[in-house]
Amino acid sequence: MIENPELLTGIVLHGAHGIYEVHTDSGIIRCTLRGKLKKAFARAQAATRSKGRPRASVNVYQLLREEREQSKRSKSEESGPTSPTRISVGDYVKLRRLDEQNGLIEEILPRQSELSRKDAGSTAEKIVPQTLLANLDQVVIVLAVAQPEPHFGFLDRYLAICEATRLQALICLNKADLPHASAIEEAAEQYRKLGYTLIFTSAHTGEGIEELRAHLKEHTTLFTGPSGVGKSSLVNALEPGMDIRTSEVSEATGKGRHTTTGSRLYPLSGGGWLADSAGIRALAAWNIPAEELAWCFVEFRPYLGECLYNDCTHINEEGCAILQAVEDGVVAESRHKSYVRMYMGEER
């Protein structure tokens, strides 16, 4: 043990096989979990899985639900914040140094936010969450204008998830130097009209790089999207010193190959943090209650509470204000189709 046994506070940059890289004011320290903490995590994780699904996070969607949400917030304040049941990239921790390079994690501090998806090991009976990044405040959703072609249904799902978790979402259409259909420009304008920031970028020509860099400053951001859209090349263009491995799109499938194997957090030279996540080929809005999904489509919000029936699902009911808005051309039919697919469980 070194002479100074005081606890340090740090942020988890990466973790694998029980070893965590933690950034502190004294540098990066290679840490393991203290034995008692490791056992507590194992018990908490087992308890979570035995219930079939994780405890839903508190989210505020509609003014009509404000009374119930206020009650939840009051109970949360009485009991105090809880620590996560599984350590993830982006978590803040308390650690004790063993020597100049190694330490023990003594405590995981409560999260302010997180973005999760269903783990590949989830079943119909047991949903296991996989946290992509903890304590983030912004998500950059990266699609390519071509090679592979953009899937706007995927984008709609991700935007809904960001709205549900109250995370700022920024849309990045990468590989802008490649020839692409005019329909992509039209779709881009549609999302801009919804209030989302959308940037066309190219790691090859440098288009949009400075604008994107300005949006990352002083934020903790997750870069995410399907494989092959150029996330790693884009990150390398933003921060050349990171030198993240890249690969080409498969000619056989037209889909990207995974080059990032898990989230890793990097400090940005201009201030802030950036995580480049593994490519995501499927994404389900597994933790958004069906009755709150409509709120997660921003253009639906003015019509909520205006339908003929209070329990309207906005799918095929008579007197639905949202369906009328679609018919009037105020709400895009493609966005409504994304909502219906999510509501019916095809992409939930």
Side-chain angles (χ1 to χ4, degrees):
M1 298 287 286
I2 60 175
E3 293 183 1
N4 183 6
E6 293 183 0
L7 293 180
L8 300 175
T9 300
I11 184 171
V12 177
L13 302 179
H14 183 64
H17 310 296
I19 307 296
Y20 303 93
E21 296 176 16
V22 182
H23 180 278
T24 72
D25 291 340
S26 301
I28 296 176
I29 301 176
R30 187 172 182 267
C31 297
T32 58
L33 290 175
R34 178 173 286 280
K36 291 182 180 179
L37 187 59
K38 189 181 296 185
K39 291 179 181 178
F41 276 3
R43 289 196 301 270
Q45 191 69 6
T48 299
R49 296 187 183 189
S50 67
K51 294 176 182 178
R53 63 175 296 166
R55 184 171 66 88
S57 58
V58 176
N59 295 308
V60 181
Y61 301 119
Q62 302 177 43
L63 291 176
L64 295 176
R65 302 170 62 86
E66 184 60 32
E67 183 176 353
R68 192 184 79 177
E69 295 301 332
Q70 180 61 47
S71 176
K72 288 183 180 180
R73 287 194 295 270
S74 297
K75 291 180 180 178
S76 177
E77 290 171 0
E78 291 173 4
S79 61
T82 58
S83 294
T85 58
R86 186 176 179 180
I87 193 168
S88 298
V89 173
D91 274 324
Y92 286 94
V93 299
K94 294 281 189 180
L95 64 94
R96 192 180 305 278
R97 294 183 66 165
L98 301 178
D99 53 38
E100 290 301 317
Q101 297 180 333
N102 300 286
L104 285 176
I105 293 174
E106 300 272 2
E107 180 184 358
I108 289 77
L109 301 179
R111 290 176 185 164
Q112 300 304 308
S113 63
E114 65 178 322
L115 190 66
S116 302
R117 67 171 178 173
K118 281 196 300 185
D119 188 85
S122 297
T123 65
E125 292 76 26
K126 296 182 180 179
I127 297 178
V128 182
Q130 177 194 11
T131 300
L132 298 174
L133 184 64
N135 296 309
L136 71 165
D137 62 354
Q138 182 173 253
V139 178
V140 173
I141 307 163
V142 185
L143 299 176
V145 299
Q147 300 179 20
E149 295 296 321
H151 180 11
F152 290 110
F154 174 94
L155 175 59
D156 289 337
R157 294 199 301 277
Y158 229 129
L159 290 174
I161 291 169
C162 289
E163 294 292 340
T165 51
R166 290 177 288 172
L167 292 171
Q168 180 172 296
L170 186 151
I171 304 167
C172 177
L173 289 179
N174 198 29
K175 303 186 182 181
D177 54 294
L178 297 179
H180 53 275
S182 60
I184 293 176
E185 301 282 350
E186 294 169 3
E189 187 58 29
Q190 171 186 304
Y191 288 102
R192 286 190 176 116
K193 287 180 178 179
L194 295 178
Y196 292 109
T197 298
L198 187 145
I199 304 173
F200 280 91
T201 60
S202 169
H204 180 67
T205 66
E207 178 183 349
I209 298 299
E210 287 301 323
E211 182 182 358
L212 182 56
R213 185 181 286 123
H215 282 282
L216 301 179
K217 189 175 181 181
E218 304 302 335
H219 287 282
T220 298
T221 305
L222 177 69
F223 256 51
T224 188
S227 300
V229 297
K231 296 188 303 296
S232 296
S233 296
L234 201 54
V235 173
N236 287 334
L238 289 162
E239 290 282 334
M242 289 185 183
D243 194 25
I244 296 176
R245 187 161 58 95
T246 63
S247 69
E248 301 298 327
V249 173
S250 167
E251 293 182 4
T253 65
K255 297 180 180 179
R257 301 186 183 99
H258 293 290
T259 53
T260 305
T261 56
S263 295
R264 179 182 287 272
L265 197 60
Y266 299 91
L268 294 172
S269 57
W273 298 88
L274 175 64
D276 179 31
S277 68
I280 297 175
R281 289 178 180 166
L283 183 72
W286 58 275
N287 59 349
I288 303 178
E291 67 273 15
E292 297 177 351
L293 180 61
W295 189 90
C296 299
F297 284 71
V298 294
E299 66 271 47
F300 290 8
R301 292 175 189 172
Y303 306 100
L304 295 177
E306 300 297 322
C307 299
L308 182 61
Y309 302 106
N310 291 332
D311 59 350
C312 184
T313 64
H314 319 299
I315 295 177
N316 54 17
E317 291 91 340
E318 179 185 353
C320 174
I322 292 174
L323 286 175
Q324 185 62 52
V326 173
E327 186 176 333
D328 294 341
V330 180
V331 169
E333 185 177 0
S334 60
R335 288 273 291 171
H336 183 257
K337 286 182 178 178
S338 290
Y339 164 79
V340 173
R341 286 195 295 267
M342 293 176 69
Y343 190 95
M344 300 301 291
E346 295 177 28
E347 298 172 346
R348 281 177 60 81

